[in-house]
Amino acid sequence: MKFLVTLEHDDDGWIVAECTSLPGCVSQGRTIDEALANIREAIELSLETRQAEGIATAIEVAEVEVDSPLR
């Protein structure tokens, strides 16, 4: 499975990685590689927990286009 994750730099210099299609699935790292490795592990654990708890593991993702003044 493939998941999109967001990467943001926080005020302390850490890179915060979040998988928005799995609520609460957030991790961090000092480098992008470390943040991606950590969020990968968090996603795997989230999916295992969802399956064990009987929560749906089929995740639907949609792309939405909006007009933005940031162009």
Side-chain angles (χ1 to χ4, degrees), residues 46-61:
S46 178
L47 291 172
E48 287 175 14
T49 300
R50 292 171 72 92
Q51 185 175 27
E53 297 293 323
I55 301 169
T57 56
I59 308 299
E60 189 171 331
V61 178

Side-chain angles (χ1 to χ4, degrees), residues 8 12 22 32 35-36 43 47 51-52 55 67:
E8 282 188 86
D12 296 323
L22 294 170
I32 290 176
L36 290 174
I43 291 168
L47 291 172
Q51 185 175 27
I55 301 169
D67 290 328

Side-chain angles (χ1 to χ4, degrees), residues 2-71:
K2 291 185 180 183
F3 291 90
L4 293 176
V5 299
T6 59
L7 300 172
E8 282 188 86
H9 291 269
D10 73 6
D11 294 338
D12 296 323
W14 288 81
I15 299 169
V16 178
E18 181 176 10
C19 180
T20 57
S21 59
L22 294 170
C25 192
V26 180
S27 193
Q28 63 185 9
R30 286 279 184 198
T31 66
I32 290 176
D33 287 342
E34 183 180 19
L36 290 174
N38 291 342
I39 195 66
R40 183 176 292 110
E41 182 180 2
I43 291 168
E44 291 169 351
L45 292 171
S46 178
L47 291 172
E48 287 175 14
T49 300
R50 292 171 72 92
Q51 185 175 27
E53 297 293 323
I55 301 169
T57 56
I59 308 299
E60 189 171 331
V61 178
E63 187 174 314
V64 177
E65 185 174 337
V66 296
D67 290 328
S68 173
L70 301 176
R71 293 182 185 185

